[in-house]
């Protein structure tokens, strides 16, 4: 309440311009101040369907709070904490089921149940579309369930927000890998009028150094999926094991590296060392995550770059050769370029290694969809204002269209695409209804090839 009272209710609130989905920030804070907690949560949900998640994982210090007027002279209003407070209180009190909107007869397929897909689905359902989400994994949530660990984002919260989306009437098909089960063309053939691709950037990058295939070396994706989604810490009570030993090394400097290091500690590692090839100042992780990792006992080694992994006779990793780096002038990314220091090579003993050096887009849709324009790196090319791809009726957003980014930017892209799909379908309907267009004249979205496969 004290924090909410600090907000100045600025007539031109800069905090809102810093929010990728344009939440009415002074509006919901004023409702908290007046003890109207339910309406405060509803006010956030006008623009953001996943407030309890964003209140926890959004980098607010780089977004809304960065622009807060109070931050210019002192401390910004803790907008993220207030958002989390309102959303948590609403959930604890029990959220009334949203009213299911009346259907308008059009069907939309959403591929991927991450933040971009869930947001697009919720917005389109509210507009009266029959929305179906196809998700490759057995659980909805994308990185929110398989990547970000429980201690940072409780999965019950993600589930509650997924439930909110399904209560709007959105149908969820888990274990449905599009590109294999159906192609995009087949989705149109099955009666969908538009498609949104929100398949994220789930393909891990590797260091590509000798020994990287040894047992005990995980990509961060695999490591976090085993722990978060497959609950491997319960093995043999669950099917998927995880073996980390006593000494774990995590390679990388972003949030994914921090999550991996903190997860390794919780899995029982005696020591977790995080190595990063630049200095602390260049680390892309949020300051909050870095401090938490430090407090929990993760040891940081800066300006260190692995060169080779060493294995035992059974093919299991036992050591990591590395060299020290010095930082020179800035590279293309604007960060100082790390250059090896000659003669600085050494070896450290390790029992397992987690490689967290980045992720690229999931490639299956791109490789099975003719005419879908992509960049060399597999990112789907879209109009940033609309999310429109090179194929009529097909939209994309989130990490698949930008490369790895943030939860809120993925949600913003889902919102934009939902609005564009709505406008596109209205226009298509107007064209069909126009007298000069004979009813048998096919619009691109009505031109559906025949297919024996049917969506159940
Ligand atoms: C470990 C980790 C920690 C992070 N921490 C933060 C953080 O603290 N704050 C923050 O803002 N961001 C964080 N991020 C980044 C953020 O989570 C992503 O930017 C965001 O989730 C992207 O959303 P998305 O909807 O584009 O994709 P995703 O969340 O990746 O969801 C894509 C979904 O599509 C599914 N899919 C893929 N291919 C297919 C297919 N062919 N058919 C059907 N389904 C498919 C996937 O299974 C997945 O469920 C983190 C990322 C990771 C990996
Ligand atoms: S900029 Fe800061 S003080 Fe002004 S309305 Fe936004 S949160 Fe309140």
């Amino acid at each position: 309440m004290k924090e909410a009272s600090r907000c100045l209710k600025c007539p031109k609130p800069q905090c809102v311009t810093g929010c990728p989905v344009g939440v009415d920030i002074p509006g919901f804070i004023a409702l908290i101040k007046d003890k109207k907690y339910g309406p405060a949560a509803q006010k956030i949900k006008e623009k953001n369907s996943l407030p309890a998640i964003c209140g926890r994982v959004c980098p607010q210090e780089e977004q809304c709070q960065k622009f807060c007027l109070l931050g210019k002279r002192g401390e910004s209003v803790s907008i993220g904490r207030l958002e989390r407070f309102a959303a948590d209180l609403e959930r604890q009190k029990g959220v009334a089921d949203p009213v299911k909107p009346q259907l308008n007869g059009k069907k939309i397929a959403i591929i991927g149940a991450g933040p971009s897909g869930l947001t697009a689905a919720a917005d389109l359902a509210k507009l009266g579309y029959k929305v179906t989400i196809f998700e490759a994994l057995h659980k909805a949530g994308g990185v929110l369930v398989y990547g970000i660990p429980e201690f940072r984002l409780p999965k019950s919260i993600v589930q509650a927000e997924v439930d909110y989306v399904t209560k709007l009437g959105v149908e969820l098909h888990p274990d449905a890998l599009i590109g294999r089960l159906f192609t995009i063309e087949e989705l149109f053939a099955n009666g969908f009028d538009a498609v949104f691709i929100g398949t994220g950037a789930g393909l891990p990058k590797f260091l590509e150094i000798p020994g990287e295939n040894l047992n005990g070396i995980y990509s961060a994706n695999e490591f976090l999926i085993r722990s978060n989604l497959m609950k491997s810490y319960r093995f043999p009570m669950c099917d998927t094991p995880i073996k980390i030993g006593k000494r774990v090394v995590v390679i990388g400097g972003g949030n994914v590296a921090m999550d991996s290091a903190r997860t390794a500690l919780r899995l029982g590692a005696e020591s977790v060392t995080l190595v990063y090839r630049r200095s602390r100042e260049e680390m892309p992780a949020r300051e909050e995550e870095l401090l938490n990792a430090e407090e929990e006992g993760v040891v940081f080694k800066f300006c260190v770059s692995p060169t080779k992994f060493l294995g035992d006779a059974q093919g299991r990793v036992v050591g990591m050769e590395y060299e020290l780096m010095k930082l020179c002038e800035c590279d293309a990314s604007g960060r100082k370029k790390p250059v090896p220091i000659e003669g600085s090579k050494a070896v450290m003993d390790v029992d397992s290694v987690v490689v967290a050096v980045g992720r690229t887009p999931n490639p299956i849709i791109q490789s099975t969809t003719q005419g879908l324009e992509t960049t060399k790196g597999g990112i789907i090319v879209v109009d940033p204002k609309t999310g429109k791809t090179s194929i009529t009726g097909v939209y994309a957003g989130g990490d698949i269209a930008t490369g790895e980014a943030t939860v809120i930017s993925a949600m913003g892209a889902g919102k934009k695409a939902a609005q564009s799909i709505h406008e596109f379908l209205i226009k298509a309907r107007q064209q069909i209804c126009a007298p000069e267009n004979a009813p048998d004249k096919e619009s691109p979205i009505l031109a559906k090839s025949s297919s024996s496969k049917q969506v159940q």
Side-chain angles (χ1 to χ4, degrees):
M1 300 301 294
K2 229 170 158 181
E3 192 58 20
S5 314
R6 290 181 60 228
C7 175
L8 303 171
K9 278 196 96 178
C10 306
K12 284 188 187 156
Q14 289 307 303
C15 52
V16 179
T17 44
C19 172
V21 292
V23 167
D24 176 0
I25 292 167
F28 94 77
I29 294 180
L31 287 163
I32 292 181
K33 198 175 142 205
D34 294 342
K35 297 190 180 170
K36 293 179 182 159
Y37 308 123
Q42 288 306 315
K43 174 66 63 198
I44 305 170
K45 279 188 176 166
E46 283 172 11
K47 294 287 171 76
N48 178 349
S49 308
L50 315 170
I53 293 168
C54 288
R56 283 176 167 77
V57 302
C58 269
Q60 291 101 6
E61 67 281 1
E62 292 298 325
Q63 295 170 344
C64 51
Q65 287 176 201
K66 188 176 178 182
F67 296 91
C68 172
L69 196 65
L70 287 178
K72 303 223 184 309
R73 275 174 282 132
E75 216 177 305
S76 317
V77 174
S78 293
I79 300 167
R81 298 288 153 105
L82 289 168
E83 180 183 33
R84 169 178 168 169
F85 166 75
D88 282 1
L89 209 65
E90 190 198 39
R91 196 181 60 259
Q92 281 156 20
K93 289 197 166 166
V95 189
D97 287 355
V99 183
K100 272 189 196 163
Q102 214 173 357
L103 293 177
N104 63 17
K106 295 277 175 206
K107 284 171 59 179
I108 317 285
I110 307 277
I111 310 174
S116 66
L118 289 170
T119 305
D123 281 18
L124 286 161
K126 284 179 196 165
L127 288 165
Y129 293 96
K130 175 84 196 106
V131 181
T132 306
I133 302 181
F134 296 93
E135 167 54 50
L137 296 173
H138 62 274
K139 254 198 164 338
V143 170
L144 306 176
V145 285
Y146 82 68
I148 303 181
E150 176 80 18
F151 57 84
R152 214 150 64 75
L153 180 62
K155 300 309 153 221
S156 56
I157 289 176
V158 180
Q159 191 55 50
E161 307 224 332
V162 170
D163 289 346
Y164 171 77
V165 176
T166 51
K167 280 175 189 163
L168 285 166
V170 172
E171 219 172 276
L172 186 61
H173 282 272
D175 300 314
L177 181 68
I178 298 303
R180 293 287 180 268
L181 186 65
F182 300 110
T183 60
I184 289 196
E185 200 188 336
E186 285 168 340
L187 288 176
F188 281 117
N190 268 300
F192 288 100
D193 297 290
V195 175
F196 173 79
I197 308 170
T199 46
L203 196 67
K205 282 186 193 163
F206 286 96
L207 296 158
E208 293 181 18
I209 58 174
E212 211 171 4
N213 285 333
L214 287 165
N215 285 332
I217 304 180
Y218 297 91
S219 72
N221 254 39
E222 180 186 346
F223 183 71
L224 292 170
I225 286 180
R226 279 182 189 239
S227 173
N228 292 330
L229 196 66
M230 309 312 289
K231 315 284 177 213
S232 52
Y233 48 86
R234 290 198 195 131
F235 185 79
M237 302 294 285
C238 68
D239 293 338
T240 306
I242 196 161
K243 195 174 171 195
I244 61 162
K246 291 181 181 163
R247 294 155 303 184
V248 177
V249 168
V250 176
I251 299 158
N255 287 330
V256 182
M258 301 302 145
D259 283 343
S260 303
R262 296 174 70 196
T263 298
L265 281 176
R266 283 161 176 79
L267 288 171
E270 280 176 14
S271 76
V272 177
T273 308
L274 192 143
V275 306
Y276 180 55
R277 63 192 187 130
R278 291 185 168 92
S279 75
R280 185 185 177 115
E281 286 68 50
E282 279 84 26
M283 270 194 143
R286 287 180 78 186
E287 183 65 15
E288 190 179 307
E289 302 306 328
L290 221 154
L291 292 176
N292 286 336
E294 256 173 353
E295 274 171 15
E296 289 177 6
V298 174
V299 176
F300 288 81
K301 284 196 189 295
F302 297 107
C303 292
V304 168
S305 183
T307 46
K308 192 192 327 183
F309 294 108
L310 312 167
D312 62 13
Q314 282 74 45
R316 198 175 163 84
V317 68
V318 291
M320 183 180 85
E321 184 193 81
Y322 63 91
E323 60 190 344
L324 302 179
M325 313 296 275
K326 62 179 176 207
L327 296 178
C328 297
E329 70 283 357
C330 293
D331 63 12
S333 70
R335 291 179 300 171
K336 286 187 183 153
K337 192 175 160 193
V339 177
I341 300 175
E342 225 174 285
S344 66
K345 278 193 180 161
V347 172
M348 67 167 86
D349 295 336
V350 298
D351 296 316
S352 56
V353 177
V354 182
V355 181
V357 294
R359 300 170 297 128
T360 54
N362 296 319
I364 295 174
I365 304 262
Q366 297 87 319
S367 62
T368 54
T369 313
Q370 258 192 11
L372 187 63
E373 194 189 335
T374 60
T375 66
K376 236 174 149 186
I379 289 175
I380 298 179
V381 177
V382 297
D383 173 346
K385 287 200 191 106
T386 59
K388 208 167 170 300
T389 70
S390 53
I391 302 179
T392 307
V394 179
Y395 294 74
D399 284 5
I400 190 69
T402 55
E404 45 186 333
T406 61
V407 172
I408 194 74
S409 59
M411 289 176 61
K415 270 196 119 44
K416 245 185 251 171
Q419 190 53 37
S420 310
I421 289 173
H422 181 50
E423 284 162 17
F424 161 68
L425 290 175
I426 289 176
K427 218 163 148 193
R429 183 176 297 178
Q430 284 165 351
Q431 276 171 5
I432 293 165
C433 296
E436 65 268 24
N437 286 339
D440 61 335
K441 198 166 183 179
E442 284 188 327
S443 93
I445 54 157
L446 296 177
K448 292 162 187 163
S449 62
S450 61
S451 165
S452 54
K453 285 192 250 178
Q454 292 292 312
V455 177
Q456 296 301 308

